[in-house]
Every structure is written in structure tokens, then in C-alpha cells.
Amino acid sequence: GRDLGTAWRMPGYDDSGWPRGRAQLGFGDGDEATRMAPGSLTYYLRTRFDVGSGSGPVTLRLLRDDGAAVYLNGVEVVRSNLPAGSLSAATPASSAVAGAGESAWYSWTVDPALLRAGENLLAVEVHNSSRDSSDISFDLALTRG
């Protein structure tokens, strides 16, 4: 629920004190592998992953309820159901997601040049449409080839 500015999106940010968990993350739907605490408008998530040599298209698949912005190595690569412009912890999602939309996956092609050989960072901010929302959901898959 606290605004972290933009530094948290960068690979060098110290997230060693952050809780850890597996996706699907969220609350309120009963299908979460990791339950997050309700009551915040925005949730910040990070994960590191290694990439070997290779090439080919990169596909990002995202499940989000209500909105999300995804950063790869500090570069915004996806914005879904969020307004244009600067984002903060006080920015609500553009609209509430309900019904089948709560479990829908959305896909984008990502510039493969953004991947580095070795360690990479995905940082995601997930936004609800209101602080008193009954649920929030997040999952993501990044594939190459």
C-alpha cells in the first residue's frame, strides 16, 4: 500500500526483505498459491530469472485482475487496464474486472533484445480498481522460441 516510486523496477533494487511466494498470487478468488493481504490499491511484485543463449520471439502472457504494468529489466513492456501516464500506488485500474475476465490470459510479443544473457528481472505492479475490492489476481508466463 506504500508508493515505491520507480526504483523498485530496476535490477539493483534490494528486495531481500520482501515476502516470497509462487503464482498465482492474490486474494478473494480461492485459487491463489500465494495469498496477498487485502486492503491495498497497488501491489508490487518482482522475480529474477536466468536466460541462456538463444534467440527467437518472446511472448508474455498475463493474468491480471484488475490491471497491471510489467517491466523487464526496468523497461515497461506491458500495460493492461491501466491509464496512460505515470503510475503510483494511488492509481486505480481503469475498470473493475469481473466474471470470466478474472481468469483471462492476455498475450503480447516482447522485444527479445530486452533479455540479457544471465540474470534478468521482471517487476510488476498490479492495481485494483478500488482499495476495497473483494479480490486481486496475478500470474505471468514469459517464453522464448
Side-chain angles (χ1 to χ4, degrees):
R2 174 171 69 98
D3 197 328
L4 297 181
T6 60
W8 70 275
R9 304 172 186 166
M10 304 308 292
Y13 185 83
D14 181 10
D15 62 5
S16 61
W18 288 26
R20 306 269 184 231
R22 299 186 57 82
Q24 183 175 7
L25 294 100
F27 65 84
D29 292 330
D31 57 355
E32 303 86 10
T34 301
R35 188 173 186 284
M36 299 187 312
S40 293
L41 189 62
T42 302
Y43 296 81
Y44 299 101
L45 312 166
R46 292 168 48 96
T47 190
R48 291 175 185 82
F49 62 98
D50 289 321
V51 172
S53 61
S55 61
V58 176
T59 302
L60 187 146
R61 294 182 59 236
L62 174 67
L63 180 150
R64 51 72 179 150
D65 174 11
D66 294 314
V70 181
Y71 307 89
L72 176 57
N73 295 319
V75 176
E76 184 176 330
V77 294
V78 166
R79 186 178 290 215
S80 181
N81 198 30
L82 289 172
S86 297
L87 298 173
S88 75
T91 305
S94 298
S95 63
V97 174
E102 293 179 321
S103 58
W105 285 85
Y106 303 89
S107 294
W108 293 265
T109 299
V110 175
D111 181 357
L114 294 173
L115 286 174
R116 304 172 182 160
E119 188 175 89
N120 289 264
L121 173 79
L122 274 171
V124 181
E125 52 187 288
V126 182
H127 294 248
N128 257 322
S129 61
S130 69
R131 188 174 303 280
D132 61 350
S133 177
S134 64
D135 63 357
I136 197 166
S137 297
F138 166 78
D139 204 343
L140 187 146
L142 188 69
T143 58
R144 180 166 65 180

